[in-house]
Short mmCIF file of all heavy atoms in Angstrom, two decimals:
data_model
loop_
_atom_site.label_atom_id
_atom_site.label_comp_id
_atom_site.label_asym_id
_atom_site.label_seq_id
_atom_site.Cartn_x
_atom_site.Cartn_y
_atom_site.Cartn_z
N GLY A 1 -27.72 -58.87 -25.62
CA GLY A 1 -28.26 -58.28 -26.81
C GLY A 1 -29.77 -58.22 -26.89
O GLY A 1 -30.33 -57.35 -27.54
N VAL A 2 -30.46 -59.14 -26.22
CA VAL A 2 -31.93 -59.23 -26.36
C VAL A 2 -32.59 -57.99 -25.81
O VAL A 2 -33.55 -57.46 -26.39
CB VAL A 2 -32.44 -60.49 -25.66
CG1 VAL A 2 -33.95 -60.52 -25.67
CG2 VAL A 2 -31.91 -61.74 -26.37
N LYS A 3 -32.12 -57.45 -24.70
CA LYS A 3 -32.71 -56.23 -24.13
C LYS A 3 -32.52 -55.05 -25.05
O LYS A 3 -33.36 -54.15 -25.13
CB LYS A 3 -32.15 -55.92 -22.75
CG LYS A 3 -30.69 -55.52 -22.73
CD LYS A 3 -30.23 -55.18 -21.30
CE LYS A 3 -28.77 -54.77 -21.29
NZ LYS A 3 -28.31 -54.47 -19.90
N TRP A 4 -31.39 -55.05 -25.82
CA TRP A 4 -31.13 -53.95 -26.74
C TRP A 4 -32.08 -54.01 -27.90
O TRP A 4 -32.46 -52.98 -28.47
CB TRP A 4 -29.69 -54.00 -27.20
CG TRP A 4 -28.73 -53.74 -26.10
CD1 TRP A 4 -27.89 -54.64 -25.46
CD2 TRP A 4 -28.43 -52.48 -25.46
NE1 TRP A 4 -27.15 -54.06 -24.50
CE2 TRP A 4 -27.46 -52.72 -24.47
CE3 TRP A 4 -28.93 -51.18 -25.65
CZ2 TRP A 4 -26.97 -51.70 -23.66
CZ3 TRP A 4 -28.44 -50.15 -24.82
CH2 TRP A 4 -27.45 -50.44 -23.88
N TRP A 5 -32.47 -55.23 -28.32
CA TRP A 5 -33.46 -55.35 -29.38
C TRP A 5 -34.79 -54.75 -28.94
O TRP A 5 -35.46 -54.03 -29.69
CB TRP A 5 -33.69 -56.80 -29.77
CG TRP A 5 -32.49 -57.42 -30.44
CD1 TRP A 5 -31.49 -56.78 -31.10
CD2 TRP A 5 -32.21 -58.82 -30.52
NE1 TRP A 5 -30.60 -57.70 -31.61
CE2 TRP A 5 -31.00 -58.94 -31.25
CE3 TRP A 5 -32.83 -59.96 -30.06
CZ2 TRP A 5 -30.41 -60.15 -31.55
CZ3 TRP A 5 -32.25 -61.20 -30.32
CH2 TRP A 5 -31.08 -61.28 -31.05
N ALA A 6 -35.23 -55.06 -27.70
CA ALA A 6 -36.49 -54.51 -27.22
C ALA A 6 -36.40 -53.01 -27.13
O ALA A 6 -37.32 -52.27 -27.58
CB ALA A 6 -36.77 -55.12 -25.84
N LEU A 7 -35.32 -52.47 -26.57
CA LEU A 7 -35.15 -51.02 -26.45
C LEU A 7 -35.07 -50.36 -27.80
O LEU A 7 -35.71 -49.32 -28.06
CB LEU A 7 -33.89 -50.73 -25.62
CG LEU A 7 -33.55 -49.22 -25.44
CD1 LEU A 7 -34.66 -48.51 -24.73
CD2 LEU A 7 -32.23 -49.07 -24.72
N GLY A 8 -34.32 -50.95 -28.72
CA GLY A 8 -34.14 -50.38 -30.06
C GLY A 8 -35.43 -50.33 -30.81
O GLY A 8 -35.76 -49.35 -31.47
N LEU A 9 -36.24 -51.40 -30.69
CA LEU A 9 -37.52 -51.41 -31.42
C LEU A 9 -38.48 -50.37 -30.83
O LEU A 9 -39.23 -49.73 -31.57
CB LEU A 9 -38.13 -52.84 -31.35
CG LEU A 9 -39.31 -53.11 -32.26
CD1 LEU A 9 -38.90 -52.88 -33.73
CD2 LEU A 9 -39.83 -54.52 -32.09
N ILE A 10 -38.46 -50.22 -29.50
CA ILE A 10 -39.33 -49.21 -28.87
C ILE A 10 -38.93 -47.81 -29.36
O ILE A 10 -39.81 -46.99 -29.72
CB ILE A 10 -39.24 -49.31 -27.36
CG1 ILE A 10 -39.91 -50.61 -26.87
CG2 ILE A 10 -39.90 -48.08 -26.70
CD1 ILE A 10 -39.68 -50.93 -25.42
N VAL A 11 -37.63 -47.50 -29.36
CA VAL A 11 -37.16 -46.18 -29.81
C VAL A 11 -37.50 -45.97 -31.30
O VAL A 11 -37.94 -44.91 -31.69
CB VAL A 11 -35.66 -46.04 -29.54
CG1 VAL A 11 -35.12 -44.74 -30.16
CG2 VAL A 11 -35.37 -46.06 -28.06
N HIS A 12 -37.23 -47.00 -32.11
CA HIS A 12 -37.51 -46.92 -33.55
C HIS A 12 -38.99 -46.67 -33.80
O HIS A 12 -39.38 -45.82 -34.64
CB HIS A 12 -37.06 -48.20 -34.21
CG HIS A 12 -37.26 -48.28 -35.68
ND1 HIS A 12 -36.66 -47.40 -36.58
CD2 HIS A 12 -38.05 -49.08 -36.48
CE1 HIS A 12 -37.03 -47.68 -37.80
NE2 HIS A 12 -37.88 -48.70 -37.76
N THR A 13 -39.86 -47.37 -33.08
CA THR A 13 -41.30 -47.22 -33.21
C THR A 13 -41.75 -45.82 -32.81
O THR A 13 -42.59 -45.17 -33.48
CB THR A 13 -42.03 -48.30 -32.38
OG1 THR A 13 -41.65 -49.59 -32.81
CG2 THR A 13 -43.54 -48.14 -32.51
N THR A 14 -41.17 -45.33 -31.73
CA THR A 14 -41.50 -43.97 -31.25
C THR A 14 -41.15 -42.93 -32.32
O THR A 14 -41.97 -42.02 -32.63
CB THR A 14 -40.75 -43.66 -29.96
OG1 THR A 14 -41.09 -44.63 -28.94
CG2 THR A 14 -41.09 -42.27 -29.43
N GLY A 15 -39.96 -43.08 -32.90
CA GLY A 15 -39.53 -42.12 -33.92
C GLY A 15 -40.42 -42.17 -35.16
O GLY A 15 -40.81 -41.10 -35.69
N LEU A 16 -40.76 -43.35 -35.63
CA LEU A 16 -41.62 -43.45 -36.82
C LEU A 16 -43.01 -42.91 -36.55
O LEU A 16 -43.63 -42.26 -37.37
CB LEU A 16 -41.72 -44.94 -37.27
CG LEU A 16 -40.53 -45.49 -38.05
CD1 LEU A 16 -40.82 -46.93 -38.47
CD2 LEU A 16 -40.26 -44.65 -39.31
N THR A 17 -43.54 -43.17 -35.33
CA THR A 17 -44.88 -42.69 -34.97
C THR A 17 -44.90 -41.15 -35.00
O THR A 17 -45.80 -40.53 -35.56
CB THR A 17 -45.28 -43.20 -33.59
OG1 THR A 17 -45.23 -44.64 -33.56
CG2 THR A 17 -46.67 -42.74 -33.21
N LEU A 18 -43.88 -40.55 -34.39
CA LEU A 18 -43.82 -39.10 -34.38
C LEU A 18 -43.62 -38.52 -35.78
O LEU A 18 -44.21 -37.47 -36.16
CB LEU A 18 -42.66 -38.64 -33.48
CG LEU A 18 -42.81 -38.90 -31.99
CD1 LEU A 18 -41.53 -38.57 -31.26
CD2 LEU A 18 -43.98 -38.07 -31.42
N SER A 19 -42.86 -39.24 -36.62
CA SER A 19 -42.62 -38.78 -38.00
C SER A 19 -43.90 -38.82 -38.79
O SER A 19 -44.25 -37.85 -39.53
CB SER A 19 -41.54 -39.65 -38.65
OG SER A 19 -41.34 -39.25 -39.99
N PHE A 20 -44.67 -39.91 -38.68
CA PHE A 20 -45.92 -40.01 -39.43
C PHE A 20 -46.94 -38.94 -38.94
O PHE A 20 -47.69 -38.35 -39.71
CB PHE A 20 -46.56 -41.38 -39.26
CG PHE A 20 -45.72 -42.49 -39.95
CD1 PHE A 20 -45.76 -43.78 -39.48
CD2 PHE A 20 -44.95 -42.21 -41.07
CE1 PHE A 20 -45.01 -44.79 -40.11
CE2 PHE A 20 -44.23 -43.20 -41.71
CZ PHE A 20 -44.25 -44.48 -41.21
N TRP A 21 -46.95 -38.71 -37.61
CA TRP A 21 -47.84 -37.71 -37.05
C TRP A 21 -47.44 -36.33 -37.53
O TRP A 21 -48.29 -35.52 -37.92
CB TRP A 21 -47.76 -37.78 -35.53
CG TRP A 21 -48.51 -36.71 -34.83
CD1 TRP A 21 -49.86 -36.58 -34.72
CD2 TRP A 21 -47.93 -35.59 -34.13
NE1 TRP A 21 -50.19 -35.43 -34.02
CE2 TRP A 21 -49.03 -34.80 -33.66
CE3 TRP A 21 -46.65 -35.15 -33.89
CZ2 TRP A 21 -48.83 -33.64 -32.91
CZ3 TRP A 21 -46.47 -33.99 -33.18
CH2 TRP A 21 -47.54 -33.22 -32.68
N GLU A 22 -46.17 -36.01 -37.55
CA GLU A 22 -45.65 -34.71 -38.03
C GLU A 22 -46.02 -34.49 -39.49
O GLU A 22 -46.43 -33.37 -39.89
CB GLU A 22 -44.13 -34.63 -37.78
CG GLU A 22 -43.51 -33.31 -38.16
CD GLU A 22 -42.95 -33.34 -39.58
OE1 GLU A 22 -42.69 -34.45 -40.12
OE2 GLU A 22 -42.84 -32.25 -40.17
N ASN A 23 -45.92 -35.53 -40.32
CA ASN A 23 -46.23 -35.39 -41.73
C ASN A 23 -47.75 -35.22 -41.94
O ASN A 23 -48.15 -34.57 -42.88
CB ASN A 23 -45.70 -36.59 -42.50
CG ASN A 23 -44.26 -36.40 -42.93
OD1 ASN A 23 -43.98 -35.82 -43.95
ND2 ASN A 23 -43.36 -36.96 -42.12
N SER A 24 -48.54 -35.86 -41.08
CA SER A 24 -49.98 -35.70 -41.24
C SER A 24 -50.44 -34.27 -40.94
O SER A 24 -51.42 -33.79 -41.48
CB SER A 24 -50.70 -36.70 -40.32
OG SER A 24 -50.50 -36.36 -38.93
N LEU A 25 -49.72 -33.57 -40.03
CA LEU A 25 -50.04 -32.18 -39.74
C LEU A 25 -49.51 -31.20 -40.77
O LEU A 25 -49.98 -30.08 -40.87
CB LEU A 25 -49.46 -31.81 -38.34
CG LEU A 25 -50.03 -32.55 -37.13
CD1 LEU A 25 -49.33 -32.12 -35.86
CD2 LEU A 25 -51.53 -32.36 -37.03
N ALA A 26 -48.49 -31.70 -41.52
CA ALA A 26 -47.88 -30.86 -42.58
C ALA A 26 -47.31 -29.57 -42.01
O ALA A 26 -47.33 -28.53 -42.68
CB ALA A 26 -48.86 -30.58 -43.71
N ILE A 27 -46.83 -29.59 -40.76
CA ILE A 27 -46.15 -28.43 -40.16
C ILE A 27 -44.72 -28.81 -39.95
O ILE A 27 -44.38 -29.56 -39.00
CB ILE A 27 -46.84 -28.04 -38.82
CG1 ILE A 27 -48.32 -27.74 -39.02
CG2 ILE A 27 -46.09 -26.83 -38.21
CD1 ILE A 27 -49.06 -27.51 -37.73
N HIS A 28 -43.86 -28.37 -40.83
CA HIS A 28 -42.47 -28.84 -40.83
C HIS A 28 -41.53 -27.83 -40.17
O HIS A 28 -41.12 -26.86 -40.76
CB HIS A 28 -42.02 -29.10 -42.28
CG HIS A 28 -42.88 -30.06 -43.01
ND1 HIS A 28 -43.16 -31.33 -42.58
CD2 HIS A 28 -43.62 -29.90 -44.15
CE1 HIS A 28 -43.97 -31.94 -43.42
NE2 HIS A 28 -44.26 -31.10 -44.38
N VAL A 29 -41.24 -28.06 -38.91
CA VAL A 29 -40.27 -27.29 -38.16
C VAL A 29 -38.95 -28.03 -38.29
O VAL A 29 -38.85 -29.16 -37.77
CB VAL A 29 -40.67 -27.10 -36.71
CG1 VAL A 29 -39.60 -26.29 -35.94
CG2 VAL A 29 -42.04 -26.41 -36.59
N PRO A 30 -37.93 -27.47 -38.92
CA PRO A 30 -36.69 -28.22 -39.20
C PRO A 30 -36.09 -28.90 -38.00
O PRO A 30 -35.70 -30.08 -38.12
CB PRO A 30 -35.78 -27.11 -39.75
CG PRO A 30 -36.67 -26.12 -40.38
CD PRO A 30 -37.91 -26.09 -39.51
N PHE A 31 -36.00 -28.24 -36.85
CA PHE A 31 -35.41 -28.87 -35.68
C PHE A 31 -36.14 -30.14 -35.29
O PHE A 31 -35.52 -31.17 -35.04
CB PHE A 31 -35.42 -27.89 -34.51
CG PHE A 31 -34.92 -28.50 -33.20
CD1 PHE A 31 -33.58 -28.72 -32.98
CD2 PHE A 31 -35.84 -28.92 -32.26
CE1 PHE A 31 -33.13 -29.32 -31.77
CE2 PHE A 31 -35.41 -29.48 -31.06
CZ PHE A 31 -34.09 -29.69 -30.82
N TRP A 32 -37.47 -30.05 -35.28
CA TRP A 32 -38.27 -31.25 -34.88
C TRP A 32 -38.23 -32.31 -35.93
O TRP A 32 -38.21 -33.52 -35.62
CB TRP A 32 -39.71 -30.83 -34.58
CG TRP A 32 -39.84 -30.02 -33.34
CD1 TRP A 32 -40.18 -28.72 -33.23
CD2 TRP A 32 -39.58 -30.49 -32.02
NE1 TRP A 32 -40.16 -28.32 -31.92
CE2 TRP A 32 -39.79 -29.38 -31.13
CE3 TRP A 32 -39.20 -31.71 -31.46
CZ2 TRP A 32 -39.63 -29.45 -29.78
CZ3 TRP A 32 -39.02 -31.81 -30.11
CH2 TRP A 32 -39.22 -30.70 -29.25
N VAL A 33 -38.17 -31.92 -37.19
CA VAL A 33 -38.08 -32.92 -38.27
C VAL A 33 -36.83 -33.75 -38.12
O VAL A 33 -36.84 -35.01 -38.17
CB VAL A 33 -38.11 -32.22 -39.64
CG1 VAL A 33 -37.71 -33.21 -40.74
CG2 VAL A 33 -39.49 -31.66 -39.90
N VAL A 34 -35.70 -33.06 -37.94
CA VAL A 34 -34.44 -33.76 -37.79
C VAL A 34 -34.40 -34.60 -36.50
O VAL A 34 -34.00 -35.76 -36.51
CB VAL A 34 -33.25 -32.75 -37.78
CG1 VAL A 34 -31.93 -33.48 -37.51
CG2 VAL A 34 -33.18 -32.02 -39.10
N SER A 35 -34.88 -34.03 -35.43
CA SER A 35 -34.89 -34.72 -34.13
C SER A 35 -35.74 -36.00 -34.19
O SER A 35 -35.31 -37.09 -33.73
CB SER A 35 -35.41 -33.80 -33.02
OG SER A 35 -34.56 -32.68 -32.89
N ILE A 36 -36.93 -35.88 -34.76
CA ILE A 36 -37.82 -37.04 -34.84
C ILE A 36 -37.24 -38.15 -35.68
O ILE A 36 -37.25 -39.34 -35.30
CB ILE A 36 -39.19 -36.61 -35.37
CG1 ILE A 36 -39.98 -35.77 -34.34
CG2 ILE A 36 -40.03 -37.79 -35.81
CD1 ILE A 36 -41.21 -35.08 -34.88
N ASN A 37 -36.68 -37.81 -36.84
CA ASN A 37 -36.06 -38.82 -37.69
C ASN A 37 -34.85 -39.46 -37.07
O ASN A 37 -34.60 -40.66 -37.21
CB ASN A 37 -35.68 -38.20 -39.04
CG ASN A 37 -36.86 -38.06 -39.97
OD1 ASN A 37 -37.25 -39.02 -40.62
ND2 ASN A 37 -37.45 -36.87 -40.02
N MET A 38 -34.08 -38.68 -36.28
CA MET A 38 -32.93 -39.25 -35.60
C MET A 38 -33.34 -40.17 -34.45
O MET A 38 -32.60 -41.09 -34.14
CB MET A 38 -32.05 -38.14 -35.09
CG MET A 38 -31.20 -37.44 -36.18
SD MET A 38 -30.27 -38.62 -37.21
CE MET A 38 -29.24 -39.48 -36.03
N VAL A 39 -34.47 -39.91 -33.86
CA VAL A 39 -34.99 -40.86 -32.84
C VAL A 39 -35.21 -42.23 -33.48
O VAL A 39 -34.76 -43.28 -32.96
CB VAL A 39 -36.28 -40.34 -32.19
CG1 VAL A 39 -36.92 -41.46 -31.36
CG2 VAL A 39 -35.99 -39.13 -31.32
N SER A 40 -35.86 -42.21 -34.63
CA SER A 40 -36.08 -43.49 -35.33
C SER A 40 -34.77 -44.17 -35.75
O SER A 40 -34.62 -45.39 -35.55
CB SER A 40 -36.98 -43.25 -36.56
OG SER A 40 -37.24 -44.48 -37.22
N LEU A 41 -33.85 -43.40 -36.29
CA LEU A 41 -32.55 -43.96 -36.70
C LEU A 41 -31.75 -44.42 -35.48
O LEU A 41 -31.02 -45.43 -35.58
CB LEU A 41 -31.74 -42.94 -37.50
CG LEU A 41 -32.30 -42.61 -38.89
CD1 LEU A 41 -31.47 -41.49 -39.54
CD2 LEU A 41 -32.30 -43.86 -39.77
N SER A 42 -31.86 -43.73 -34.35
CA SER A 42 -31.20 -44.17 -33.12
C SER A 42 -31.69 -45.57 -32.71
O SER A 42 -30.92 -46.42 -32.28
CB SER A 42 -31.45 -43.17 -32.00
OG SER A 42 -30.86 -41.93 -32.32
N GLY A 43 -32.99 -45.79 -32.87
CA GLY A 43 -33.54 -47.13 -32.57
C GLY A 43 -32.91 -48.19 -33.44
O GLY A 43 -32.59 -49.28 -33.00
#
């Protein structure tokens, strides 16, 4: 389980980083919005 925690946190962090960056640009492309949020939730 420990390796899954490391992997999950990395994926979750990647998703949140992309989400915050996408919101700062205020350019909302539906496909990318959903994909980025699902990356974070996958983590």
Side-chain angles (χ1 to χ4, degrees):
V2 174
K3 68 177 179 181
W4 294 106
W5 292 338
L7 178 60
L9 193 59
I10 290 170
V11 173
H12 180 62
T13 301
T14 301
L16 281 182
T17 302
L18 291 173
S19 179
F20 292 152
W21 173 73
E22 182 266 338
N23 274 277
S24 68
L25 296 178
I27 302 174
H28 304 302
V29 179
F31 174 77
W32 289 112
V33 168
V34 175
S35 299
I36 287 169
N37 280 279
M38 284 310 301
V39 168
S40 182
L41 290 176
S42 296

